[in-house]
Amino acid sequence: EKHGRYDIVSIVDDVAAEVGKAEDDVKKYYIAFWSNFERIADHKRIIDRIEKGEKKILRLRQIRDSINEKVDRHLKEKFREIYKGIDALKKQKEEATAAAAAATSTSSTPSKRSSSPKPKGTPKKPTPIPDVPTPDQLLQYTWPTIKFNYGQNWKGYRAYTEEEDAFLLYCMWKHGFGMAERIRMEIRRAWQFRFDWFFKSRNAQEIQKRCEAVVRLIEKENDEIRKKKEQAEQKAIIEDQKKKAEAAAAKAQAEGAQAAPSGDQQGDAQPQPMDVSA
């Protein structure tokens, strides 16, 4: 019920720690249970509880994936905005490293001929690459800029401000969904909300309810972005097929135009009738 029927390692660890049995004995009991569980009188009730636990685990994974998708999209946008030319700097550093390695290998090989004169002046040093922060560090400083697509039904979501929703999203990404008490303590410690008495006075149940609303909002936003991406891909495929069909038709037309003069020449070269009067 807690880990699902397939997470054998976690099940064995928890049962062995709680009961005090050896792990080998727990594994044997696990195999015996799933081999003979139908002999138990109320096995249907036990299986129903296990299936409900597995559905809960699956739902938590879906929520985690939705949160990660939203956060990753935000981090990519902010990374491109802050570090615009970092790709060019990385490429420049790789080229400089390759050139230095080639120069070192050339100078190390002995040659009987006189070496070519060295160019005057010092080579230009590449621009240093700035230190790139980790996703946790970048999100820690950029979470206030997270934007939400509230849509037309914004009144149902805007009881909280967008900054408060962004902080809840950051805390769910950091601590996990369902950790309302930890999120409540994070809100109390955050200096951004030191004068926000409404947000600071929410209890764990109210925070959890708001987190669920934010998750539903994120899932809706992710679905819309996914649908737009699929429509754009389908449109690109249709346009590509259309271009290929037009190119094939033009090619066939050009081939037909080239074949037409040769047919006319063959028609003009008909045999002339013989003069019988001679």
Side-chain angles (χ1 to χ4, degrees):
E1 183 179 0
K2 182 179 178 181
H3 302 289
R5 71 187 80 181
Y6 302 111
D7 192 358
I8 302 174
V9 177
S10 300
I11 294 171
V12 171
D13 291 341
D14 286 356
V15 175
E18 186 175 353
V19 180
K21 297 287 184 180
E23 293 184 357
D24 294 337
D25 296 338
V26 176
K27 290 179 182 178
K28 291 178 182 178
Y29 180 79
Y30 175 86
I31 296 171
F33 173 80
W34 286 109
S35 301
N36 307 290
F37 71 93
E38 293 181 353
R39 298 180 183 179
I40 304 173
D42 57 345
H43 70 276
K44 292 184 179 180
R45 182 179 62 84
I46 297 173
I47 298 301
D48 289 341
R49 288 181 61 184
I50 294 173
E51 289 178 351
K52 287 181 181 178
E54 289 175 343
K55 289 180 181 178
K56 185 177 180 181
I57 293 170
L58 178 62
R59 178 57 184 159
L60 290 174
R61 288 177 180 173
Q62 292 174 349
I63 292 173
R64 181 194 60 190
D65 293 341
S66 299
I67 292 172
N68 289 338
E69 184 178 352
K70 173 67 176 177
V71 171
D72 289 345
R73 190 165 58 247
H74 168 74
L75 290 177
K76 286 180 181 178
E77 292 176 357
K78 287 300 169 184
F79 187 84
R80 292 169 185 165
E81 181 181 344
I82 297 172
Y83 302 97
K84 291 182 180 179
I86 193 167
D87 294 333
L89 293 176
K90 287 182 178 180
K91 187 176 180 181
Q92 182 182 359
K93 184 178 180 181
E94 291 175 358
E95 292 176 353
T97 305
T104 305
S105 61
T106 305
S107 60
S108 61
T109 55
S111 178
K112 295 181 179 180
R113 298 181 181 179
S114 60
S115 58
S116 58
K118 296 182 180 181
K120 296 180 180 181
T122 58
K124 185 179 180 182
K125 294 183 179 181
T127 306
I129 299 176
D131 294 334
V132 179
T134 61
D136 190 10
Q137 293 173 345
L138 185 60
L139 186 62
Q140 184 178 359
Y141 292 102
T142 62
W143 66 260
T145 60
I146 297 176
K147 302 297 180 183
F148 295 93
N149 185 14
Y150 291 98
Q152 297 179 353
N153 300 325
W154 60 273
K155 292 182 180 179
Y157 292 103
R158 296 310 294 270
Y160 291 70
T161 63
E162 192 170 23
E163 186 180 11
E164 293 167 352
D165 289 341
F167 188 74
L168 291 177
L169 175 61
Y170 166 65
C171 291
M172 285 189 288
W173 180 83
K174 183 179 179 181
H175 299 292
F177 180 79
M179 300 296 178
E181 188 62 31
R182 289 187 182 181
I183 296 174
R184 187 179 72 85
M185 297 304 296
E186 287 279 359
I187 293 171
R188 297 231 172 176
R189 288 193 293 263
W191 64 268
Q192 292 89 347
F193 308 107
R194 60 187 182 275
F195 299 124
D196 191 349
W197 302 112
F198 172 79
F199 197 38
K200 291 177 69 174
S201 62
R202 300 302 93 189
N203 56 34
Q205 294 179 353
E206 293 172 336
I207 291 171
Q208 181 61 29
K209 187 176 179 180
R210 184 60 185 179
C211 288
E212 293 174 358
V214 172
V215 167
R216 290 195 299 269
L217 180 64
I218 292 170
E219 289 177 338
K220 184 180 178 181
E221 182 179 344
N222 292 339
D223 290 339
E224 291 177 355
I225 293 174
R226 205 174 293 114
K227 287 179 181 178
K228 289 181 180 179
K229 187 177 180 180
E230 290 176 357
Q231 291 176 357
E233 290 177 354
Q234 291 177 358
K235 186 177 179 181
I237 291 171
I238 292 172
E239 290 180 354
D240 189 21
Q241 292 176 352
K242 187 177 179 181
K243 289 180 180 178
K244 288 181 179 179
E246 291 177 354
K251 184 178 179 181
Q253 186 177 1
E255 291 177 354
Q258 291 178 359
S262 61
D264 294 341
Q265 293 175 1
Q266 291 178 2
D268 293 340
Q270 294 180 357
Q272 299 292 333
M274 297 177 64
D275 190 4
V276 187
S277 60

